């Protein structure tokens, strides 16, 4: 027996299939069965350069030399960054790098360790 997903509106577990749609008998909400497998709209998934999913607290490694704005130096390839924090901004990662201090990085320039 296949397990159908709960209703996205009222969270009822009594959903049923009607052709290519899923229907909730409690609130009468109908949605496509193919959309049910997709992640929620509000949940942003952060991925590193290799496609691995990143989470808060992960340790990552820089994959290329990154020049700092303002002539502050260069973060070398292979630098490990511990305990990252993911944010919804232009630069996806807030972190603290030893020798450089507080920084923001883009996920495309790191890989999960």
């Amino acid at each position: 027996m296949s397990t159908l997903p709960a209703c996205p509106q009222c969270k009822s577990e009594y959903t049923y299939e009607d052709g290519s749609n899923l229907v909730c008998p409690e609130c009468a909400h109908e949605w496509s069965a193919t959309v049910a497998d997709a992640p929620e709209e509000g949940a942003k998934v952060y991925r590193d350069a290799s496609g691995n999913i990143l989470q808060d607290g992960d340790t990552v490694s820089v994959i290329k030399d990154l020049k700092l704005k303002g002539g502050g130096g260069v973060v070398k390839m292979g630098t490990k960054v511990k305990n990252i924090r993911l944010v919804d901004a232009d630069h996806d990662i807030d972190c603290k790098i030893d020798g450089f201090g507080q920084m923001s990085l883009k996920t495309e320039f790191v890989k999960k360790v």
Side-chain angles (χ1 to χ4, degrees), residues 29-71:
H29 178 66
E30 293 185 24
W31 68 100
S32 174
T34 57
V35 176
D37 296 334
E40 292 182 22
E41 292 177 20
K44 183 174 179 182
V45 177
Y46 296 92
R47 296 186 182 269
D48 68 359
S50 301
N52 299 318
I53 296 176
L54 296 173
Q55 296 177 348
D56 284 341
D58 281 345
T59 299
V60 295
S61 176
V62 178
I63 63 168
K64 70 179 246 178
D65 291 350
L66 300 174
K67 295 178 185 176
L68 302 178
K69 287 185 178 180

Side-chain angles (χ1 to χ4, degrees), residues 62-77 79 91 97 100 103-106 109:
V62 178
I63 63 168
K64 70 179 246 178
D65 291 350
L66 300 174
K67 295 178 185 176
L68 302 178
K69 287 185 178 180
V74 176
V75 176
K76 296 285 187 180
M77 179 176 73
T79 302
H91 290 71
I97 300 177
F100 293 98
M103 250 186 202
S104 294
L105 299 172
K106 290 189 176 186
F109 299 121

Side-chain angles (χ1 to χ4, degrees), residues 62-113:
V62 178
I63 63 168
K64 70 179 246 178
D65 291 350
L66 300 174
K67 295 178 185 176
L68 302 178
K69 287 185 178 180
V74 176
V75 176
K76 296 285 187 180
M77 179 176 73
T79 302
K80 287 190 178 180
V81 182
K82 299 177 184 176
N83 199 19
I84 64 171
R85 188 175 69 240
L86 300 171
V87 294
D88 192 20
D90 183 38
H91 290 71
D92 302 320
I93 299 173
D94 277 346
C95 59
K96 185 175 181 182
I97 300 177
D98 293 336
F100 293 98
Q102 199 67 25
M103 250 186 202
S104 294
L105 299 172
K106 290 189 176 186
T107 54
E108 63 194 73
F109 299 121
V110 299
K111 69 175 181 175
K112 192 172 183 177
V113 177

